[in-house]
Amino acid sequence: MTKHYVTIRELARLSGVSVGTVSRALNGYPDVRQDTRDRIVRLAEELDYTPQAAARTLVTRRSHVIGVFLETGKNHPDIQHPFFHEVLVGIKNRLGAAGYDLLLFASEEPGNGYGTHSYLKRCNHHHVDGAVLMGLSADDPETDRLARSSLPCVSVDVEFQGLHSSWVSSDNHQGADLAVKHLMECGHKRIAHIAGPLDTTPGRERLAGFRRAIEKAGLPYYDELVVYGDFYYESGLASMEKLLDLATPPTAVFVASDMMAMGAMRAVQARGLSVPGDVAVVGYDDITIAGMAHPPLTTVRQEKAQLGELAAEALLRQIEEGANGDLESTLTLPVTLVVRESTCGDRNQSVT
C-alpha cells in the first residue's frame, strides 16, 4: 500500500491556519505566536510531515545542501585517500548537526553535461547554499571563479580568497620543522625529502618548511635529496628507490604523506635494508594505518576530523553572516609529531 504523505495544505487545514503561517512556524520565523507554533509543530510530528525540499527552498531561499568538490583522476586525490575521508567525516558531522546535507562532486570527466571544470555551474544547478573544496588547484581559473562568486566557499588546503570565501589548513611549515628537528636529534645529517605535488599547497609548504628547517640547522641543502611524488604509495616507493640509487644515499627521509612514507619503507626493505637502522622515515598525516605499519610509522599528526569541522563551521558563518560578518579568511591548526619505531624514539610519543 502506497504511503500517503501529508501536504502543507492539509497541515494548514488541520491546524486551522494559513499555509503561510505553517511555513513560517516550521522555519522558525519569530512573528508566529508560540502557542500556534507549538500546535503546528506537534501536529506535524504526529502526522510525520516532511516538507518538500523544493518548496522549502522557495520559502527560506536555502536548500540546506552543501556541495563538496574533490577532484579525481590521475595525479589527483580521491575519496578513498584516508586523509580526505577523515576530513569529510568531520565536515559531515558538523554540517549534519546543523541540518545540512552534502552533495559530493567527485568527478571532472568530460561529457558530464556541464563542460570542463564547471564548479559554479554545478552549484547553481543544484541550488547549493555553499561549497567546500578539497584537492583542487588554486591556479585553476574555474576554482578562482567559484571563490570570487557570491556563493559562500571554504577550502581545505587550497589557498584562495574572495569576498565570500576562506580556507583552512594545518601548519605545514611547523610539521616539516618538527620532522627535521626529530631526525637531527636522532643523529641524522643527510636527510632527504619526498615532496608532494608542487601544484598543491601542502606539497609546496612542506617542501618550503623542510628547506627552511635544514638551513636553520646549518646543514647544506642538496637538490638531489628532494624527489617528488603524488601523496600515494606507489610514488613513495619509486621516489625512495631514486634516493637509494644515489652515490651517497640519505640516512633519513621526511615524507610529505603517510601513504608515500609506507611506500618508501617498502623500498628500503626490498633492498635488504632496515627501517630505522639504515634509513629512518617520518611521514605526514597520521592516518589510522600509520601505527599498523612495519615498523610503526613516526609521523606528523594532522587533526583531520577537526580540520573538517573547522571548515564546516567557517562555511556556516559565511552562510549566516555573509560579507557583512567579521570573518577570518585563513584558519590554521597546529600539528604534533607522533614518534613511533620508524625513527629512534619510543612508541607513540607525541611532540609539539
Side-chain angles (χ1 to χ4, degrees), residues 134-145:
M134 297 191 293
L136 306 180
S137 172
D139 298 328
D140 187 331
E142 289 299 329
T143 304
D144 183 68
R145 181 179 300 175

Side-chain angles (χ1 to χ4, degrees), residues 36-76:
T36 302
R37 184 193 311 280
D38 292 344
R39 185 173 74 254
I40 293 171
V41 169
R42 183 171 58 253
L43 188 58
E45 291 175 348
E46 291 174 356
L47 298 175
D48 195 23
Y49 169 73
T50 302
Q52 293 184 3
R56 182 177 64 175
T57 299
L58 289 174
V59 174
T60 66
R61 297 187 180 276
R62 291 185 185 172
S63 64
H64 285 80
V65 174
I66 300 298
V68 178
F69 286 85
L70 180 62
E71 189 169 349
T72 61
K74 186 178 181 180
N75 298 326
H76 290 292

Side-chain angles (χ1 to χ4, degrees), residues 146-160:
L146 182 60
R148 297 182 184 280
S149 72
S150 61
L151 184 73
C153 295
V154 172
S155 71
V156 178
D157 282 339
V158 183
E159 183 177 357
F160 63 74

Side-chain angles (χ1 to χ4, degrees), residues 207-344:
L207 173 58
F210 167 78
R211 180 164 190 164
R212 185 177 66 182
I214 288 291
E215 294 175 346
K216 183 172 66 175
L219 298 177
Y221 176 87
Y222 297 109
D223 288 335
E224 67 177 4
L225 291 182
V226 177
V227 290
Y228 299 91
D230 61 7
F231 293 130
Y232 285 83
Y233 178 92
E234 290 79 7
S235 71
L237 190 153
S239 296
M240 191 69 234
E241 288 178 340
K242 293 178 182 178
L243 292 171
L244 293 173
D245 286 338
L246 293 174
T248 307
T251 63
V253 58
F254 163 50
V255 191
S257 79
D258 287 347
M259 295 289 286
M260 289 197 300
M262 285 185 278
M265 289 199 296
R266 181 69 185 99
V268 171
Q269 293 161 347
R271 298 282 182 105
L273 304 173
S274 71
V275 177
D278 295 297
V279 182
V281 179
V282 177
Y284 207 108
D285 291 333
D286 195 28
I287 59 177
T288 302
I289 58 175
M292 306 174 189
H294 180 68
L297 179 65
T298 294
T299 183
V300 178
R301 173 183 291 164
Q302 299 193 79
E303 300 298 338
K304 297 166 287 297
Q306 186 179 354
L307 198 62
E309 292 171 2
L310 187 65
E313 289 169 4
L315 185 61
L316 290 173
R317 290 197 301 272
Q318 296 261 5
I319 293 171
E320 294 298 329
E321 302 177 36
N324 297 321
D326 183 15
L327 303 173
E328 295 182 79
S329 60
T330 304
L331 302 166
T332 305
L333 283 178
V335 296
T336 57
L337 182 71
V338 179
V339 179
R340 299 192 179 101
E341 296 171 21
S342 67
T343 53
C344 64

Side-chain angles (χ1 to χ4, degrees), residues 166-183:
S166 60
W167 67 291
V168 301
S169 68
S170 294
D171 194 334
N172 293 300
H173 291 94
Q174 179 199 17
D177 189 71
L178 288 172
V180 172
K181 182 180 179 181
H182 172 66
L183 290 171

Side-chain angles (χ1 to χ4, degrees), residues 114-135:
Y114 295 96
T116 305
H117 299 300
S118 52
Y119 313 137
L120 188 56
K121 289 181 182 178
R122 292 182 179 195
C123 287
N124 290 336
H125 178 80
H126 292 280
H127 306 288
V128 301
D129 292 334
V132 180
L133 289 78
M134 297 191 293

